[in-house]
Amino acid sequence: MHTSIVENLQTVRQRIQKACQESGRTVAEVRLLLATKTVPADQIRLAIEAGETLIGENKVQELRDKQAELEHLPIERHFIGHLQTNKIKEVLKYVSCIQSLDRLAVAQQLDQQLQKLGKSLEVYIQVNTSYETSKYGLNPAEVLNFIKAIRPLDTLRIKGLMTIGLLDVEKEKMRPSLALLRQTRDQLLAEGLDGISSLELSMGMSQDLELAIAEGSNLVRIGTAVFGNRFLGKEIWKE
Ligand SMILES: *Cc1c(COP(=O)(O)O)cnc(C)c1O
């Protein structure tokens, strides 16, 4: 598995390039985030040495465990998992962005903590565009009011929307949940929200990155295609 990480990374970069070409976009428009849950720090290092600069973790525990080995490296870390309010203080030690914001209570407590620290934080709002009950995230129809509610919290810089698309063996079944994030974004921008002139889209994983890029993704989050299978069986998104 170790030796193939750099090769896998090349393949993923090529997939991104090709998808950008095919949809008339430039690679500069799409960032690659490595989803490093369950991946040991020494393997993450290989990807960083190969030029990657952005990783995402799902659990505060894993951020803590890998901190000593990763803190001096020139990388940016994002939180992409379900954030419990009792972990808010700690997660802020490690990450510059939370991509999975979907609750007002979390937003408020983040803001309180950030005020104390005199810091601000980038956030993406997680939207459940597949309507699967197994996933976290706001319903698309709730996002406008959520943004209005968190706008006064000025330590939070609203960077965009994030979704975990519907995964299926049939490509075309995966597309609607990705297209829906783009449509949700376009509708929000059409509302003319004060102070928000753009919203990026974080979507696309190992299975659906091409579709996500075709639907306008600005940030793909890739785990398996670079680091190999985490486990066999079905992904558990709520835990
Ligand atoms: C694990 C994870 C990914 C990456 O999924 P792969 O299918 O392994 O590429 C992306 N986003 C989130 C939120 C994840 O938890």
Side-chain angles (χ1 to χ4, degrees):
M1 178 156 140
H2 298 56
T3 49
S4 59
I5 287 175
V6 176
E7 280 169 38
N8 291 346
L9 200 49
Q10 283 302 339
T11 308
V12 166
R13 287 173 182 153
Q14 280 160 12
R15 284 175 63 189
I16 293 171
Q17 232 165 27
K18 188 157 176 264
C20 284
Q21 264 163 20
E22 283 173 1
S23 47
R25 308 183 59 205
T26 64
V27 280
E29 291 172 62
V30 184
R31 274 187 99 183
L32 171 57
L33 173 145
L34 298 177
T36 52
K37 57 176 174 269
T38 76
V39 179
D42 59 329
Q43 292 179 34
I44 300 173
R45 275 184 101 99
L46 294 176
I48 295 167
E49 283 161 12
E52 291 309 318
T53 57
L54 176 59
I55 71 170
E57 289 283 356
N58 292 56
K59 289 193 174 153
V60 176
Q61 170 84 45
E62 284 199 55
L63 283 163
R64 182 193 314 144
D65 291 346
K66 300 172 198 175
Q67 170 74 350
E69 280 188 76
L70 299 181
E71 67 179 329
H72 302 297
L73 299 175
I75 51 166
E76 192 183 330
R77 283 177 290 178
H78 289 186
F79 191 75
I80 60 175
H82 184 65
L83 185 57
Q84 284 157 343
T85 48
N86 63 355
K87 299 281 169 62
I88 282 173
K89 218 170 156 174
E90 193 180 3
V91 78
L92 291 174
K93 293 185 196 167
Y94 310 120
V95 302
S96 61
C97 174
I98 289 178
Q99 291 206 7
S100 43
L101 188 63
D102 67 353
R103 278 154 36 246
L104 192 55
V106 170
Q108 285 166 337
Q109 290 185 40
L110 278 170
D111 179 60
Q112 275 173 18
Q113 199 56 38
L114 287 159
Q115 280 189 36
K116 281 190 210 161
L117 299 167
K119 286 208 228 164
S120 67
L121 182 80
E122 279 184 356
V123 294
Y124 287 73
I125 295 157
Q126 183 172 352
V127 188
N128 184 348
T129 56
S130 65
Y131 298 105
E132 291 166 287
T133 54
S134 60
K135 284 178 185 155
Y136 290 105
L138 294 164
N139 275 348
E142 298 170 333
V143 180
L144 176 60
N145 280 336
F146 185 73
I147 289 184
K148 286 181 178 164
I150 66 170
R151 280 283 307 294
L153 310 173
D154 49 25
T155 60
L156 303 181
R157 289 176 278 128
I158 302 170
K159 178 96 173 159
L161 308 179
M162 184 273 253
T163 196
I164 298 167
L166 178 84
L167 296 180
D168 197 282
V169 285
E170 284 178 53
K171 274 205 161 175
E172 288 310 312
K173 287 199 178 150
M174 300 196 280
R175 191 186 281 270
S177 64
L178 303 168
L180 182 53
L181 195 69
R182 177 175 46 76
Q183 288 154 11
T184 304
R185 188 267 315 271
D186 293 347
Q187 277 165 17
L188 291 167
L189 292 179
E191 291 282 329
L193 292 161
D194 259 3
I196 299 179
S197 55
S198 67
L199 289 167
E200 301 209 335
L201 303 178
S202 170
M203 61 184 186
M205 310 193 293
S206 293
Q207 278 189 58
D208 61 355
L209 77 85
E210 285 85 357
L211 284 168
I213 289 172
E215 291 297 338
S217 174
N218 304 107
L219 189 154
V220 293
R221 309 178 308 268
I222 309 297
T224 313
V226 172
F227 299 107
N229 268 324
R230 292 179 291 273
F231 41 64
L232 300 170
K234 210 172 183 321
E235 188 80 79
I236 299 162
W237 295 107
K238 276 192 177 175
E239 43 191 334

